[in-house]
Amino acid sequence: MTSPLGKDLLGLEHLSAEQISLVLDTAEPLKEISERTIKKVPTLRGATIVNLFFEASTRTRTSFEFAEKRMSADTVNIAIAASSVSKGETLVDTARNLEAMRIDMVVIRHQSSGAARFLAERIESNVINAGDGTHEHPTQGLLDLLTLRQRFGTLKGKRVCICGDVLHSRVARSNIWGLTKLGAEVAVCGPRSLLPSAIEQMGVHVFDRIEQAIEWADALNVLRLQLERMQAGYIPSLREYNRVFGVTRERLDRAPRDILILHPGPMNRGVEIDSDVADGPHSVILEQVTNGVAVRMAVLYLLAGNSPRLAEAAKGGA
Amino acid sequence: MTDILLKGGRLLDPSSNLDAVGDLLVRDGKIESVGGNIAGPDGATVIDCTGQVVSPGFIDVHCHLREPGREDVETIATGARAAAAGGFTAVCAMPNTDPVTDNQAAVGFVLKQGRAAGAARVYPIGAISIGQRGERLAEFGEMVGAGAVAVSDDGKPVVSSQLMRTALEYARTFGIPVADHCEDPTLALGGAMNEGIVSARLGLKGIPAEAEEIMAIRDILLARLTGGHVHLCHMSTRGSVDLIRWGKDRGIRVTAEACPHHLSLTEDAVEGYDTNAKMNPPLRTADDVRAVQEAVKDGTIDVIATDHAPHHYDEKEREFSDAPNGIIGLETALPVNVTWLVKPGIISLATLIDRMSCAPAKLFHLPGGALRRGIAADVTVFDPAAEWTVDPKGFRTKGRNTPYAGMTLMGRVLCTLVEGSVVYHQGVG
């Protein structure tokens, strides 16, 4: 049976609203599996999945691995140190070797934009993009959507602002596509040096000041500020970043309404987000992590060619 | 050497306002007579040119032949044969080889290999700076003495304005153009495509148009300062052509080239991370393409050059940001130009021939660029209406990296004559 998502999950840009909703609807019932004492269903028994990580990742890789194991797949983790192009095996050779081992799915994290697609075009196995360069991170986008949907009921008309280093963020791109498709209004806020120059053409509002974003938004998705950005000269200092763009309790207290706070992690406390916000009553950061496992189970399940109608049954071990 | 009679073609030479159906006779490597009905001398090879255009041979002032250094990717011989197949009777080889063509011996090597190839003529371009390092001037005089026709550090911009100034001043003694690859390296750093909505969506680092334009205006101003002849390579943006127009209006000695890919494709071709759409300067927006087309039409852009840049397929078969820049262009230049410029009526065939033959000959002081009695018979015969589907497997170049593969284009070379010898004949050898 062909998957309702197609062969691969490479990004949210080319998915329809229906396909995105389908993943979220499929994830909902699967969440319960992780609440059991025996957190395992046999749905993907016999399937071989390779987690191919060219970049260091703790959270995403662990989340995928739990999702795979709770669906009873056989998993292998391959961590390949981010190497220069002249060293080591090429991606195309890696792809051919994996294909020769007759695997069913590859979860790939890679430092180059387009790497997941490159792999998907060259192997028959399903490919799941776990983050490619500064392009997309679709499962993160989906888990953000699931978290927001649970809190808001619907995303239609809700205002979500993505704050920080949008220029280098794959999370931001997947969020923009997913939120827009599900009917939310999307804004970005950050120093212009960390926003793509053509960002308005992606159909989002732009705020130059975090105060304006807080005034406007129902939810803030606060991006991690990579320390390298300071070294590369995009911003003068982390201290100033916090003073001008930091999401602080003081700023949130002036908001006209309660604002949900999301963060894809790992957080730089005291830089893009203050601890009392991250740990505060409106933070859904840990819900995001919980939902991450369910969303990834749903993606694995759907890509494996399972009928979305059977997701409920999968809980019982279809 | 047998006589060759090109029979019944449309003789088209904008340098002498020639546009008439007639014959052209080649004898002893020279054009013996042009026009009218010429009776074939005994033993002459007659080539039926009915329905074909007979034009002065195309001249490419910008290509990369990779020898010495990367003979696995291209050699001067394979490049010269590819050129002939594309209707080029002469090409200028950029010096960014390994080692760099920055001295008279290296220039002599390129010339020797070019002659041995027996295809299109190969003219060396010497480096502006030793090793293309942008520090010390190379010996222009000795390189010109050995046969170099211009100087350039192409592939790299001349970062130092002082060095560029000196090069433009020093080149005046030898009457050669200084060709510059316009790119502000700090703005372009790490860039993989044009900066804009497509780069924002694909998550690729962009190169803004301004990276090119800032260097273009710097070079124009330095040409004004020095009186030297600056030739701007592969201009790709609306802003650049506006700046060139500004310079020409003031009588500044600036000339410029555009490449077929910048006249036909936009940044949308990068969609799907196709590394055959990766080049530097990058493919720009539809508005830029229109502006550069317009500039070719009005002469702001003097010449069309290929920037032929073969790469090994392994090097292109990788992640987009890691793939090298450049595409092959010698065997697709004519059909791309006909399909995107002549067919839609943007320029006439005569203008195309001027930009591909007459103007390059004039700017770089090269023989050819005309159909005139007594000059060397460098002639191209092509069918401007023939449609064919691009299949890189059949190319003479070793490169296969073209974004035009599979496209059906219009305009096809029938045969190419260099100094009266047939160096390419479609379907024959």
Side-chain angles (χ1 to χ4, degrees):
Chain A
M1 196 195 299
T2 53
S3 156
L5 299 181
K7 180 172 93 65
D8 314 297
L9 178 67
L10 303 179
L12 299 190
E13 182 181 0
H14 300 292
L15 289 191
S16 65
E18 292 69 32
Q19 286 172 310
I20 291 171
S21 297
L22 178 68
V23 178
L24 305 186
D25 295 344
T26 308
E28 294 274 11
L30 295 176
K31 277 180 74 178
E32 188 265 329
I33 294 169
S34 298
E35 305 299 331
R36 296 179 190 172
T37 316
I38 297 170
K39 301 175 179 57
K40 212 172 185 82
V41 291
T43 318
L44 293 181
R45 196 163 52 197
T48 319
I49 303 179
V50 172
N51 298 314
L52 184 60
F53 277 65
F54 290 86
E55 266 186 354
S57 158
T58 305
R59 183 172 320 219
T60 303
R61 193 186 54 71
T62 310
S63 180
F64 265 109
E65 203 175 340
F66 276 131
E68 291 154 3
K69 293 204 152 97
R70 287 174 192 176
M71 305 286 272
S72 300
D74 294 322
T75 67
V76 174
N77 293 324
I78 305 178
I80 300 172
S83 61
S84 73
V85 292
S86 55
K87 280 184 273 176
E89 190 176 64
T90 62
L91 187 54
V92 65
D93 282 336
T94 304
R96 287 183 186 139
N97 278 285
L98 290 174
E99 187 81 334
M101 286 185 252
R102 306 289 181 260
I103 52 157
D104 299 295
M105 290 192 193
V106 182
V107 176
I108 179 175
R109 157 73 60 96
H110 197 283
Q111 61 276 11
S112 288
S113 299
R117 179 178 172 136
F118 181 93
L119 186 70
E121 285 171 349
R122 283 159 183 80
I123 62 174
E124 307 230 326
S125 324
N126 309 108
V127 173
I128 300 172
N129 182 6
D132 62 326
T134 56
H135 176 226
E136 283 221 46
H137 190 352
T139 55
Q140 178 72 43
L142 290 164
L143 73 89
D144 292 343
L145 292 172
L146 183 62
T147 307
L148 287 165
R149 199 177 78 165
Q150 279 170 4
R151 287 295 185 128
F152 289 143
T154 175
L155 283 165
K156 276 213 175 53
K158 290 295 171 196
R159 295 170 154 188
V160 181
C161 185
I162 302 161
C163 304
D165 182 7
V166 175
L167 184 64
H168 300 97
S169 175
R170 48 197 175 211
V171 177
R173 284 169 182 75
S174 290
N175 261 269
I176 290 171
W177 298 124
L179 288 165
T180 316
K181 281 167 199 277
L182 294 192
E185 273 191 77
V186 184
V188 297
C189 176
R192 291 279 176 164
S193 52
L194 289 175
L195 301 180
S197 52
I199 186 75
E200 282 97 344
Q201 293 176 54
M202 289 174 86
V204 302
H205 307 281
V206 181
F207 293 116
D208 284 308
R209 304 206 64 98
I210 190 73
E211 293 82 3
Q212 298 168 316
I214 288 171
E215 168 92 26
W216 175 86
D218 297 308
L220 298 183
N221 196 343
V222 186
L223 302 173
R224 172 181 169 79
L225 186 81
Q226 306 276 356
L227 303 180
E228 303 94 270
R229 303 306 168 223
M230 189 179 73
Q231 284 134 22
Y234 288 95
I235 53 163
S237 71
L238 298 180
R239 193 184 61 84
E240 174 159 297
Y241 185 87
N242 180 255
R243 289 182 69 145
V244 182
F245 291 99
V247 177
T248 62
R249 169 58 41 213
E250 195 191 3
R251 286 189 168 121
L252 287 178
D253 281 346
R254 281 191 229 114
R257 64 190 79 79
D258 287 342
I259 299 181
L260 283 190
I261 302 296
L262 292 86
H263 192 297
M267 287 185 278
N268 294 308
R269 290 168 179 262
V271 182
E272 71 270 7
I273 190 166
D274 279 4
S275 285
D276 50 0
V277 174
D279 304 330
H282 303 299
S283 164
V284 289
I285 295 170
L286 293 175
E287 279 174 47
Q288 289 174 274
V289 179
T290 305
N291 285 336
V293 178
V295 152
R296 289 174 178 121
M297 287 169 81
V299 168
L300 295 166
Y301 178 81
L302 291 171
L303 284 183
N306 290 296
S307 164
R309 287 193 321 279
L310 296 178
E312 192 66 36
K315 287 164 61 181
Chain B
M1 192 181 248
T2 54
D3 297 341
I4 296 174
L5 181 63
L6 302 175
K7 194 79 189 156
R10 176 182 172 193
L11 304 168
L12 197 45
D13 173 17
S15 76
S16 57
N17 290 319
L18 171 66
D19 185 358
V21 173
D23 305 343
L24 185 145
L25 181 65
V26 174
R27 174 168 291 164
D28 296 330
K30 292 190 164 62
I31 297 178
E32 173 74 14
S33 56
V34 187
N37 186 8
I38 303 170
D42 287 346
T45 305
V46 179
I47 298 174
D48 179 11
C49 296
T50 313
Q52 308 279 332
V53 168
V54 177
S55 91
F58 306 147
I59 297 169
D60 186 10
V61 299
H62 188 148
C63 68
H64 300 274
L65 301 184
R66 305 299 189 211
E67 184 182 354
R70 286 303 304 271
E71 292 83 352
D72 59 322
V73 169
E74 191 83 292
T75 64
I76 291 172
T78 57
R81 284 199 283 274
F88 291 95
T89 53
V91 294
C92 300
M94 280 294 178
N96 62 337
T97 47
D98 182 14
V100 172
T101 310
D102 61 1
N103 60 75
Q104 58 179 342
V107 167
F109 171 79
V110 174
L111 267 186
K112 178 174 94 48
Q113 295 296 79
R115 288 203 185 100
R121 300 170 194 262
V122 178
Y123 297 115
I125 293 177
I128 291 172
S129 65
I130 293 169
Q132 290 192 307
R133 284 192 293 272
E135 292 160 7
R136 287 170 49 217
L137 281 190
E139 290 161 336
F140 293 6
E142 291 197 344
M143 293 194 292
V144 170
V149 297
V151 287
S152 179
D153 272 357
D154 183 67
K156 292 179 183 170
V158 177
V159 177
S160 158
S161 300
Q162 173 59 27
L163 181 72
M164 189 63 184
R165 173 193 177 155
T166 313
L168 284 164
E169 289 170 335
Y170 191 64
R172 290 192 63 177
T173 301
F174 312 103
I176 51 166
V178 178
D180 195 24
H181 168 123
C182 295
E183 178 181 345
D184 180 314
T186 60
L187 276 176
L189 185 70
M193 69 171 298
N194 184 50
E195 179 173 321
I197 178 62
V198 183
S199 68
R201 280 179 33 237
L202 295 180
L204 292 171
K205 187 159 185 331
I207 302 173
E210 286 74 6
E212 174 176 308
E213 292 155 3
I214 285 168
M215 284 303 227
I217 192 61
R218 180 204 70 171
D219 285 354
I220 292 167
L221 294 174
L222 290 175
R224 181 174 72 176
L225 175 66
T226 60
H229 173 190
V230 71
H231 178 76
L232 306 181
C233 298
H234 41 53
M235 291 287 100
S236 69
T237 77
R238 177 177 286 281
S240 291
V241 298
D242 283 346
L243 294 168
I244 296 161
R245 215 169 266 131
W246 179 90
K248 288 190 167 186
D249 284 348
R250 281 155 186 76
I252 299 167
R253 291 180 70 201
V254 52
T255 60
E257 69 190 36
C259 304
H261 44 272
H262 291 128
L263 294 164
S264 56
L265 303 177
T266 68
E267 59 185 353
D268 292 341
V270 179
E271 203 73 52
Y273 302 94
D274 180 1
T275 58
N276 284 330
K278 183 178 180 185
M279 59 279 283
N280 189 17
L283 296 174
R284 306 284 189 181
T285 66
D287 181 61
D288 291 309
V289 171
R290 274 193 300 277
V292 183
Q293 288 176 337
E294 193 56 38
V296 169
K297 179 184 178 182
D298 70 17
T300 302
I301 296 287
D302 303 82
V303 307
I304 300 175
T306 66
D307 197 8
H308 176 78
H311 290 290
H312 195 279
Y313 76 88
D314 280 347
E315 294 172 306
K316 280 286 196 182
E317 179 84 350
R318 63 163 60 140
E319 303 88 305
F320 193 88
S321 53
D322 296 335
N325 287 306
I327 59 166
I328 53 174
L330 289 168
E331 288 163 271
T332 49
L334 173 75
V336 168
N337 293 337
V338 170
T339 304
W340 272 277
L341 298 174
V342 179
K343 192 178 166 192
I346 295 164
I347 63 171
S348 65
L349 269 178
T351 302
L352 179 63
I353 292 166
D354 177 73
R355 306 296 186 259
M356 291 183 74
S357 175
C358 313
K362 200 167 119 211
L363 262 46
F364 280 57
H365 314 294
L366 305 174
L371 296 179
R372 208 169 54 239
R373 186 173 192 282
I375 67 169
D378 287 7
V379 182
T380 298
V381 181
F382 65 94
D383 181 347
E387 294 200 340
W388 59 290
T389 301
V390 177
D391 178 7
K393 284 202 291 291
F395 281 167
R396 264 107 179 129
T397 171
K398 288 190 182 182
R400 295 292 176 263
N401 47 312
T402 172
Y404 300 105
M407 291 191 198
T408 298
L409 304 181
M410 189 186 250
R412 189 161 208 188
V413 175
L414 174 70
C415 69
T416 308
L417 276 64
V418 171
E419 214 153 10
S421 295
V422 176
V423 292
Y424 172 77
H425 200 154
Q426 190 195 118
V428 186

